[in-house]
Amino acid sequence: MTHAPQIEPVELAKSYRLLNHGPTVLVSSAHGARRNVMAAAWCMPLDFDPPKLLVVIDKSTFTRELIEASGEFVINVPTQAQRALAVAVGSDSGRERDKFTALDITTFAGDRVAAPLIEGCVAWLECRVVPEAHNQNRYDLFIGEVVAAHADSRVFSAGRWHFGPEHDALRTIHHVAGGAFFVTGPMLDNSAA
């Protein structure tokens, strides 16, 4: 991926670290000429080799329809500067209108999947669905194999997050309920424990 100088590939063996701190994510999907994005608070790493993740995608969503048709999706990790975007894409259906156009969301192409990657996020995990019909139908639970991963090197490099005060706007958001969010805080020094 050669989109912006601060975006760098992440070793797939370390891609789970992009989600290990539990951020709210934006799930983007596409099939044919249709595309969509939704917010999801329930997304987590599952396995290392090959790297896999889990995400809950309700049966009623347009995003799920596109994922089931294409077999792929992208997990975008938004920043606190994108909180209003996360609320907006999580409050509106893409069946009636293209959210990307309506909300002026800028995207770029990934390396391995057709679903769009959202500019301004700090991490992107391109995923292919690992079919598991029982879990998908009964629990709305999708397994994604991460086939490419990227991160903003200003806050993630050498396989680690490093949120400094100079990049406060890039801190990830964490939905706790009822529209309330927290942001990732400062790193704690283990030598003081």
Side-chain angles (χ1 to χ4, degrees):
M1 173 182 299
T2 58
H3 178 69
Q6 71 267 17
I7 297 174
E8 65 179 32
V10 173
E11 179 185 349
L12 288 179
K14 302 245 190 320
S15 65
Y16 74 94
R17 294 179 180 176
L18 296 172
L19 296 176
N20 214 32
H21 66 302
T24 295
V25 299
L26 305 179
V27 182
S28 55
S29 56
H31 183 254
R34 309 241 15 226
R35 61 189 181 162
N36 198 42
V37 59
M38 64 172 264
W42 295 350
C43 183
M44 62 177 276
L46 173 64
D47 202 355
F48 300 109
D49 187 20
K52 292 187 263 325
L53 58 83
L54 297 172
V55 62
V56 175
I57 303 172
D58 190 84
K59 290 170 187 57
S60 66
T61 66
F62 184 50
T63 293
R64 177 154 170 176
E65 183 180 316
L66 296 175
I67 290 171
E68 288 176 333
S70 68
E72 58 188 36
F73 59 94
V74 173
I75 297 294
N76 303 269
V77 180
T79 68
Q80 70 174 325
Q82 294 172 304
R83 183 174 57 112
L85 174 64
V87 171
V89 302
S91 304
D92 196 9
S93 173
R95 288 186 203 285
E96 289 79 38
R97 65 182 183 150
D98 182 278
K99 291 184 202 179
F100 293 93
T101 302
L103 299 170
D104 198 27
I105 302 171
T106 306
T107 65
F108 59 100
D111 291 342
R112 304 282 304 275
V113 303
L117 283 68
I118 298 172
E119 275 195 15
C121 290
V122 289
W124 304 265
L125 295 101
E126 299 179 49
C127 300
R128 292 221 170 89
V129 173
V130 176
E132 180 54 57
H134 173 74
N135 287 336
Q136 289 168 208
N137 295 328
R138 180 154 183 152
Y139 304 111
D140 297 328
L141 186 62
F142 280 74
I143 300 171
E145 180 180 341
V146 180
V147 294
H150 321 278
D152 186 323
S153 61
R154 294 174 293 175
V155 292
F156 188 94
S157 59
R160 304 238 183 260
W161 287 106
H162 45 84
F163 293 105
E166 68 278 13
H167 298 304
D168 275 345
L170 299 178
R171 291 182 186 276
T172 57
I173 57 176
H174 308 265
H175 186 257
V176 291
F181 292 86
F182 287 97
V183 296
T184 300
M187 184 173 288
L188 302 175
D189 183 358
N190 286 335
S191 64

